[in-house]
Amino acid sequence: MMISGWGRTKQFKSNILKPKDNNELRYLVKNHKKIITRGLGRSYGFSSISDNVVDLSFFLEKKFKINKNKNILECHSSYSLKDIIDRLLKKGLFIPVTSGTKFVTIGGAIASDIHGKNHHIDGSFCDYVSSLKLMLANGKVIHCSKSKNSKIFYSTCGGMGLTGIILEARIKLIKIPSENILETIIKTKNLNQTFENFERYNNYKYIVAWIDTNKKNECLGRSVIYLGKHSNDKKNYFNNLSLKLPFEFPSFFLNKVLLKILSSLYYFLSPSKKTRIVDLRNYFYPLDKIHNWNLAYGKKGFVQIQILINEKNLKENLKEIILFFKKNNQVSFLSTLKKMGKRNNNLLSFPEKGYTITFDLQNNSKLNKFYIALEKKLKKIGAKQYLTKDNLMTRSFFKQNNKKLKQFIRIKKKLDPNNKFQSYQSTRLKIY
């Protein structure tokens, strides 16, 4: 079967394995040399693609249990956020951290240690995983947590599926007063105003900005900031409208001129300041309303580059990066800015203190050359990139910005001496 990452820059012929229980899975693991687990395919590059890909969604019996008294969810790793959110909301519960799409499995959320609009306050997804069940390369199933098999736990959380196959997880939940979010929209004129508002509203649980990366001078870094708090308003505001693109757009459709026009329109049509109540599903997952929005970038696909800039010379470094994209005519419409808090103990996790910015770029002939020059700049300022979004990262850059990589590899070699669990990304970056 031909599969690709969400960015659709390249297709691969992979053997899709569909075990129906742990016994079948154990047999497959033991009898395949190169294997990786894949959920719903929302990793942008090749982190969930290998010669053999395991799809756990065909399991006949999948655990799903909500303990409302203890605010704990115990479930099979193949359940997606979409599968569980409505069930949680009926009980007045929610997940503490969510990505920008609900089409991600629990296993994928753990493997990527996903982060959301509240990392500056609440950390990342794995901070709320109390334990997990993992199948190793020899077929053995083990339990691990922060206190039991802790080295394996901290390697698996954020470990991109390279330590074994996550089977089940136990996750702490939060109580919420309603299904709604009190959202405040603030429009800023430049990067200085954007940073000022991030700091001013730092106590908000959720904060994210759409940032216009196509302007310079006095308009550089102008943004539309979305603040959010859980609301006590219990009225139904859920808008379930969605659409599906009927075909793959031609590659010339989202050209650089059109993307710049769309950026200006989005900014000018956004309100200067507005407060409203919105359903949390609409607040957290706006892009999910277009189920296959990645087709808009055409046959060549697109890449997302997600960069984390640490606190040292933060504003100057962010300005330099934005201007570097503009100077090289690499145009992004879907760019977001988020504030990040302290890093956790996971060996390969992406988040740490600073700000993260994303650039969605249509795949083009100049992209590889541009990326090499970009990486040199990122090395100088000690920036890092997110593995789940990566398409182009070099081994030297990854090694420089992951200080615990050697420790991870030592643990992986012990668990998986023949490097059975590998993806095309891990092979490129030599994570073994």
Side-chain angles (χ1 to χ4, degrees), residues 236-249:
N236 184 3
Y237 294 90
F238 185 40
N239 179 355
N240 200 26
L241 292 176
S242 63
L243 62 91
K244 193 172 184 179
L245 298 183
F247 52 81
E248 178 184 77
F249 282 27

Side-chain angles (χ1 to χ4, degrees), residues 16-39:
I16 309 299
L17 309 174
K18 302 175 181 179
K20 293 183 174 60
D21 55 36
N22 281 350
N23 289 330
E24 283 192 16
L25 177 61
R26 186 177 292 109
Y27 175 83
L28 293 172
V29 167
K30 287 183 174 182
N31 288 278
H32 289 85
K33 291 183 178 180
K34 297 179 182 179
I35 197 168
I36 200 72
T37 315
R38 179 179 169 94

Side-chain angles (χ1 to χ4, degrees), residues 17 23 76 81 92 143 198 343 358:
L17 309 174
N23 289 330
H76 193 261
L81 299 188
H143 293 265
F198 264 93
R343 69 163 293 145
T358 62

